[in-house]
């Protein structure tokens, strides 16, 4: 569910790959590999996504020898990650095909995104500075720079693989520009173009309110604020808490640097009180166990936070810093508040690319700050198993490491640009101690951690690890070597997953599969015990490839034995077995929506599981496909549904339809902060605006087929909303934070607060009300919330500025009023603040938006302002002509 593809692509390739070819003219030694890594210049250029129709795109890889020695034929190979299927008309059925014109290389699909290129006998070598171009076809399309993965490497038998320097690191300088429609459009009917400065100016339409539009984010249910009454909070203030609130008192004490006392003074005290909260008629949103009141009494010099639970108390504590004015003084305030949803989550994929415990704990800090209360931790996938499981050490000694094995090394194959050796972010895992440290950090902030171990699909890493265990124990003549095997060795079934794996589905027809599941669930229960007792086991369950298990000997035997018909029945059997294991540990169960649906889109009988609550993440909602109704189908069938719609809540998608923006774009071409803010989870079909192509699409068009728009009858079964980061393109800390923030803040606003415009039936009026509300929220980001993230050293995305000409005058603005726009006339050597009253010089101008702390900038926008005569400038009779060039650069001047 992290990506889905439809279509195909063609590329021109110049590469070198790994595999032995008889009769090679050179024995390759380490010096040869080192020379190639240092001197082979690789260039990847998209030629056209359009000329092949909707099914293929064209590209080229250019190899040039920049050294003084020739690169000749030998048993060397170039390995690289390519996220589409190369030569899809041929590699579906075979592993290798010859490429080039004439054919001089062989390309082999190894597994997942990993390919290798190796020379044929017709390969005449690479002489100095003579480029070699190889055309290839690939499925689907490439319209983003980050579709190309870094760290290609060259390898041969009995040598240490080396990363090709020209492809190393995060710059992706070896990827050519996406400078024509044929390159930045996915297909002929794709309506999206990179935003021009003028288009972005229109989109950045939030009125500058000259200050935060909302004092508290997310928005409280009731708030009375008197800005003219203030008081200082000095170090002689103290904290006093009712029994049972010690943890929350300690949190507040550390946050403000105040002492905790048992006997309160008459003033200068913050009281934490356990008591019920009542609301005015018609304003109570429910979820009263998280409700709180906050009273700042400036006359009595007292602050009181009241809630029936410690969780509600913590919400009040997190609200308190928002009540300070520009001088840091606290304003007279009365707040009554409670959340819209009981489940307000953030999902993080640490399998595709690993993030250490420090980054997860930073995320937890910010989630608590914005009152999110569920961390869905995607710990396993094809590309890595990230949690130590006592008793099954191979899950992390093998399954957590990506490499090209040498000697006695055991690992899974490199994926997603991780390179040939074991290193982060491709490799890594949480020890039991690391994970428990995360749990403790989460529990202190009243955030529930929901661990996901994805199965039966997306399990390549687990399958390889358990095969390694079997191999090692068999070699040692161990009696129970096969106890945790996850595959049937007599299964010739052929399939490709959405991520092009050919062997990632755990076999549901062998008993060792369920021995494995029981063991890992048991160990997770132990890890959570005494810190944060495990409540939900998330089994993944998504994207099992068509064709898995169809020829498995064990499955054929089980079908006969149990009277099962097809793969549908096998999947249902697997889910029921996992549910039984989950139930045996008194746990609730969760899965992605397709884990609970048969091939006819009918939900499994939820009562058959015998579990109190079964949660389903409803994620797939490409509108024109007619599958958005899955959310309501599952809710009506008794599942507890978490709104996880990819078009609005998948933060791995780009912020803009621009080749320079990071991310995959299978569900929608882009999702910016405003789009997430504007999501209406209580009226799913009202969110329909466009097809994937950008073509206008409406709720009425979607619902022309009544089955596309199943009515929600069991409203109480929609229990929450969740944002998601799939990490295929997020390798570094800064990339991770760029994709998550500030979209997470918009998610928090919608999860906590139902806006009045969401209930407005008139679409035109609703859009107007939403835009007014967005202006308040955008001003709050620009004038306040982003500074809070700066104070925490968070590398959130800074949106590029918009610009246009009005009456002959250049005007510019940021998406978040309050962030400064700056311009440069000397290619970025010096910068000046833009103001609408300042006369702009003619010539080449570069524009950027600055972070709230002024230490970082957005991507640059370059504008050509033509020289005009003084007369024409005074009369404003000649408009400025803007030529927009997007420069592939982020200025990341860290603290």
């Amino acid at each position: 569910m992290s990506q889905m593809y439809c279509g195909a692509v063609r590329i021109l390739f110049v590469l070198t790959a790994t595999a032995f070819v008889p009769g090679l003219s050179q024995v390759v030694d380490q010096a040869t590999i080192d020379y190639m890594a240092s001197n082979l210049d690789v260039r990847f250029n998209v030629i056209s996504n359009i000329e092949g129709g909707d099914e293929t795109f064209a590209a080229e890889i250019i190899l040039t020898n920049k050294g003084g020695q020739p690169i000749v034929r030998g048993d060397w190979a170039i390995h690289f990650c390519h996220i589409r299927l190369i030569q899809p008309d041929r590699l579906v059925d075979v592993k290798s095909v010859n490429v080039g014109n004439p054919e001089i290389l062989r390309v082999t699909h190894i597994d997942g995104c990993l390919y290798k290129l190796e020379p044929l006998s017709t390969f005449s070598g690479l002489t100095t500075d003579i480029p070699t171009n190889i055309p290839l076809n690939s499925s689907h399309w490439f319209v983003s720079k980050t579709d190309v993965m870094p760290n290609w490497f060259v390898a041969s038998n009995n040598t240490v693989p080396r990363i090709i320097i020209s492809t190393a690191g995060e710059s992706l300088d070896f990827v050519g520009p996406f400078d024509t429609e044929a390159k930045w459009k996915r297909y002929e009917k794709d309506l999206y173009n990179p935003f021009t400065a003028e288009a972005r100016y229109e989109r950045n339409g939030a009125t500058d309110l000259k200050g935060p539009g909302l004092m508290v984010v997310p928005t409280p249910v009731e708030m009375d604020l008197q800005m003219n009454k203030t008081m200082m909070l000095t170090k002689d203030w103290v904290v006093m808490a009712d029994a049972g609130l010690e943890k929350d008192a300690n949190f507040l004490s550390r946050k403000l640097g105040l002492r905790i006392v048992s006997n309160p003074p008459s003033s200068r005290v913050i009281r934490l009180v356990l008591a019920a909260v009542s609301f005015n008629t018609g304003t109570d949103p429910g979820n009263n166990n998280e409700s709180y009141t906050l009273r700042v009494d400036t006359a009595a010099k007292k602050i009181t936070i009241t809630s029936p639970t410690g969780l509600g108390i913590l919400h009040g504590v997190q609200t308190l810093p928002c009540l300070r004015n520009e001088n840091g003084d606290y304003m007279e305030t009365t707040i009554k508040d409670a959340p819209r949803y009981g489940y307000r989550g953030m999902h993080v994929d640490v399998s595709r690319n690993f993030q250490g415990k420090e980054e997860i704990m930073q995320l937890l800090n910010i989630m608590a700050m914005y009152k999110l209360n569920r961390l869905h931790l995607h710990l396993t996938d094809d590309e890595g198993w990230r949690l130590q499981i006592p008793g099954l050490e191979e899950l992390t000694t093998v399954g957590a490491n990506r490499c090209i094995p040498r000697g006695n090394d055991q690992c899974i194959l490199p994926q997603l640009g991780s390179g040939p050796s074991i290193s982060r972010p491709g490799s890594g895992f949480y020890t039991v101690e690391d994970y428990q440290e995360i749990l403790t950090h989460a529990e202190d902030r009243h955030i529930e951690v929901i661990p996901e171990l994805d199965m039966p699909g997306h399990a390549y890493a687990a399958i390889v690890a358990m095969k390694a265990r079997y191999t090692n124990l068999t070699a040692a003549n161990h009696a129970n070597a096969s106890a945790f095997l996850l595959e049937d060795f007599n299964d010739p079934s052929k399939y490709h997953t959405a991520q092009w794996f050919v062997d990632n589905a755990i076999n549901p027809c062998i008993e060792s599969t369920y021995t494995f599941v029981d063991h890992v669930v048991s160990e997770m229960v132990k890890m959570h015990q005494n810190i944060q007792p495990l409540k939900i086991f998330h089994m993944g369950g998504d994207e099992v490839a068509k064709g898995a298990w169809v020829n498995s000997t064990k499955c054929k035997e089980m079908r006969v034995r149990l009277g099962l018909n097809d793969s549908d029945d096998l999947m249902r059997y697997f889910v029921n077995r996992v549910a039984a294991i989950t139930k045996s540990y008194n746990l609730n169960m969760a899965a992605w929506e397709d884990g609970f649906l048969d091939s006819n889109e009918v939900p499994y009988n939820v009562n058959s599981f015998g579990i109190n609550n079964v949660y389903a993440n409803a994620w797939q909602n490409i509108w024109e496909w007619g599958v958005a109704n899955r959310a309501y189908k599952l809710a009506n069938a008794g599942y507890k549904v978490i709104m996880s719609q990819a078009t609005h809540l998948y933060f791995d998608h780009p912020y803009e339809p621009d080749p320079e923006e990071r991310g995959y774009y299978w569900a929608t071409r882009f999702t910016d902060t405003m789009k997430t803010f504007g999501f209406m989870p209580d009226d799913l079909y009202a969110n329909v605006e466009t097809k994937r192509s950008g073509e206008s699409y409406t709720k009425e068009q979607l619902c022309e087929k009544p089955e596309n728009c199943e009515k929600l009858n069991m409203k109480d079964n929609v229990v929450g909303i969740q944002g998601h980061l799939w990490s295929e393109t997020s390798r570094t800390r800064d990339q991770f934070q760029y994709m998550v923030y500030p979209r997470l803040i918009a998610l928090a606003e919608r999860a906590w607060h139902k806006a009045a415009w969401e209930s407005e039936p008139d679409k035109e009026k609703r859009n107007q009300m939403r835009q007014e509300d967005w202006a308040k929220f955008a001003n709050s980001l620009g004038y306040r919330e982003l500074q809070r993230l700066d104070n925490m050293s968070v590398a959130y995305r800074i949106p590029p500025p918009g610009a246009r000409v009005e009456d002959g005058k250049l005007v510019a603005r940021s998406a978040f009023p309050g962030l400064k726009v700056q311009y440069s006339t000397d290619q970025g050597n010096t910068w000046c603040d833009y103001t609408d009253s300042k006369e702009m010089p003619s010539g080449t101008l570069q524009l950027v938006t600055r972070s709230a702390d002024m230490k970082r900038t957005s991507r640059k926008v370059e504008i050509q302002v033509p020289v005009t005569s003084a007369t024409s400038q005074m009369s404003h009779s000649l408009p400025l002509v803007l030529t927009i060039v997007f420069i592939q650069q982020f200025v990341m001047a860290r603290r």
Side-chain angles (χ1 to χ4, degrees), residues 600-619:
N600 294 313
E601 300 283 310
V602 177
Y604 300 152
N605 181 358
V606 71
N607 295 322
S608 69
F609 302 142
I611 295 173
N612 290 335
N613 294 302
V614 183
Y615 295 85
N617 291 93
W619 60 278

Side-chain angles (χ1 to χ4, degrees), residues 179-246:
D179 51 5
T180 67
E181 284 195 0
K183 296 180 182 181
W184 71 59
K185 288 182 179 289
R186 293 161 289 176
Y187 36 78
E188 199 165 340
K189 293 183 179 180
D190 188 347
L191 300 184
Y192 287 110
N193 295 301
F195 288 164
T196 63
E198 185 167 87
R200 192 181 295 108
Y201 185 89
E202 290 295 329
R203 194 166 180 83
N204 296 354
T207 302
D208 190 346
L209 303 177
K210 307 302 181 183
L214 304 168
M215 286 306 300
V216 178
V217 176
T219 303
V221 174
E222 301 176 21
M223 182 168 73
D224 178 27
L225 180 70
Q226 299 183 49
M227 301 178 69
N228 61 332
K229 296 181 179 180
T230 64
M231 68 181 182
M232 293 181 63
L233 199 67
T234 52
K235 291 299 180 180
D236 57 343
W237 278 62
V238 295
V239 175
M240 180 180 173
D242 284 358
L245 297 177
E246 292 81 8

Side-chain angles (χ1 to χ4, degrees), residues 116-259:
K116 64 179 181 179
L117 273 164
E118 54 199 338
L120 299 172
S121 60
T122 52
F123 181 78
S124 60
L126 299 176
T127 56
T128 302
D129 290 332
I130 304 297
T132 300
N133 298 42
I134 306 293
L136 292 180
N137 290 331
S138 293
S139 61
H140 314 306
W141 42 75
F142 267 16
V143 299
S144 173
K145 195 173 184 180
T146 57
D147 287 342
V148 184
M149 295 294 169
N151 300 321
W152 299 21
F153 58 92
V154 60
S156 70
N157 296 325
N158 302 315
T159 62
V160 178
R162 300 295 192 202
I163 292 176
I164 299 170
I165 291 174
S166 61
T167 70
E170 294 302 323
S171 70
L172 298 177
D173 288 341
F174 70 101
V175 181
F178 292 77
D179 51 5
T180 67
E181 284 195 0
K183 296 180 182 181
W184 71 59
K185 288 182 179 289
R186 293 161 289 176
Y187 36 78
E188 199 165 340
K189 293 183 179 180
D190 188 347
L191 300 184
Y192 287 110
N193 295 301
F195 288 164
T196 63
E198 185 167 87
R200 192 181 295 108
Y201 185 89
E202 290 295 329
R203 194 166 180 83
N204 296 354
T207 302
D208 190 346
L209 303 177
K210 307 302 181 183
L214 304 168
M215 286 306 300
V216 178
V217 176
T219 303
V221 174
E222 301 176 21
M223 182 168 73
D224 178 27
L225 180 70
Q226 299 183 49
M227 301 178 69
N228 61 332
K229 296 181 179 180
T230 64
M231 68 181 182
M232 293 181 63
L233 199 67
T234 52
K235 291 299 180 180
D236 57 343
W237 278 62
V238 295
V239 175
M240 180 180 173
D242 284 358
L245 297 177
E246 292 81 8
K247 179 171 62 177
D248 306 293
N250 285 328
F251 183 89
L252 178 60
S253 172
R254 291 193 304 269
K255 193 177 184 74
L256 298 181
L258 303 179
R259 289 185 303 112

Side-chain angles (χ1 to χ4, degrees), residues 242-295:
D242 284 358
L245 297 177
E246 292 81 8
K247 179 171 62 177
D248 306 293
N250 285 328
F251 183 89
L252 178 60
S253 172
R254 291 193 304 269
K255 193 177 184 74
L256 298 181
L258 303 179
R259 289 185 303 112
I260 299 174
V261 299
S262 55
N263 296 311
S266 59
S267 65
R268 300 181 187 275
V269 61
I270 303 177
R271 288 289 311 271
L272 306 182
V273 179
L274 281 173
V277 174
S278 61
F279 289 83
N280 295 327
T281 303
T283 65
D284 187 352
N287 296 305
N288 287 331
N289 65 315
E290 294 189 68
S291 63
Y292 71 94
T293 63
L294 193 161
R295 171 78 172 120

Side-chain angles (χ1 to χ4, degrees), residues 563-731:
L564 305 179
N565 294 320
D566 51 23
S567 294
D568 258 9
D569 284 351
L570 293 178
M571 183 64 182
R572 183 183 287 104
Y573 175 83
F574 176 84
V575 174
N576 274 281
R577 287 291 303 269
V578 173
I581 293 169
T582 304
K583 181 182 178 182
S584 72
Y585 290 99
N586 297 313
L587 302 176
N588 293 318
M589 186 169 73
W592 301 100
E593 62 183 26
D594 35 337
F596 295 131
L597 295 167
D598 68 20
S599 60
N600 294 313
E601 300 283 310
V602 177
Y604 300 152
N605 181 358
V606 71
N607 295 322
S608 69
F609 302 142
I611 295 173
N612 290 335
N613 294 302
V614 183
Y615 295 85
N617 291 93
W619 60 278
Q620 173 53 281
N621 72 310
I622 295 176
W623 303 115
E624 61 270 31
W625 289 6
V627 293
N629 58 10
R630 291 174 172 179
Y632 290 174
K633 278 185 179 181
L634 287 161
N636 290 339
Y639 290 85
K640 304 300 181 184
V641 171
I642 301 153
M643 302 300 267
S644 306
Q645 282 70 23
T647 56
H648 292 69
L649 301 172
Y650 268 33
F651 299 163
D652 51 304
H653 282 48
Y655 282 91
E656 289 187 5
D658 192 294
E660 294 301 316
E661 287 287 347
R662 182 172 303 279
Y664 287 173
Y665 41 83
W666 64 265
T668 182
R669 186 60 186 89
F670 75 99
T671 297
D672 60 7
T673 307
M674 180 165 61
K675 188 174 181 181
T676 299
F677 174 87
F679 184 59
M680 295 171 280
D682 286 354
D683 190 358
L684 180 58
Y685 309 127
N687 293 287
V688 178
E689 292 182 344
T690 63
K691 297 181 179 180
R692 268 204 312 181
S693 64
E695 178 185 352
S696 178
Y697 198 54
T698 65
K699 175 181 178 179
E700 290 70 29
Q701 288 174 295
L702 173 68
C703 299
E704 284 177 0
K705 294 182 178 180
E707 63 271 21
N708 287 350
C709 295
E710 174 149 339
K711 184 179 178 182
L712 177 62
N713 298 317
M714 305 289 288
K715 293 184 179 180
D716 288 346
N717 281 342
V718 176
V719 298
I721 183 174
Q722 181 166 278
H724 307 76
L725 181 72
W726 300 99
S727 65
E728 288 96 336
T729 68
S730 299
R731 289 174 289 274

Side-chain angles (χ1 to χ4, degrees), residues 56 96 209 228 326 603 684 894:
T56 61
S96 301
L209 303 177
N228 61 332
E326 292 181 354
L684 180 58
R894 303 294 293 161

Side-chain angles (χ1 to χ4, degrees), residues 9-14 43-49 51 56-62 82 133-138 142:
V9 195
R10 182 166 58 105
I11 31 184
L12 283 175
F13 246 97
V14 176
R43 289 290 177 266
F44 184 97
N45 299 314
V46 171
I47 304 300
S48 176
N49 292 299
E51 67 179 44
T56 61
F57 77 80
E60 67 176 353
I61 293 175
I62 305 173
H82 189 69
N133 298 42
I134 306 293
L136 292 180
N137 290 331
S138 293
F142 267 16

Side-chain angles (χ1 to χ4, degrees), residues 287 289-290 311 314-315 339 341-346 364 366-376 442-443 445-450 532 535 719-722 747-748 751-752:
N287 296 305
N289 65 315
E290 294 189 68
L311 177 53
L314 186 65
H315 295 328
Y341 289 121
Y343 186 115
R344 304 178 303 283
M346 182 64 200
L364 288 165
I366 298 170
M367 288 176 63
M369 195 162 78
Y370 292 105
K371 304 182 178 71
L372 296 174
N373 66 350
R374 300 289 193 282
L375 174 62
H376 175 172
E443 180 64 17
R445 287 151 184 79
H446 296 280
I447 295 173
E448 179 184 349
V449 176
I450 300 171
Q532 184 184 82
K535 298 177 182 177
V719 298
I721 183 174
Q722 181 166 278
L747 164 73
W752 185 272

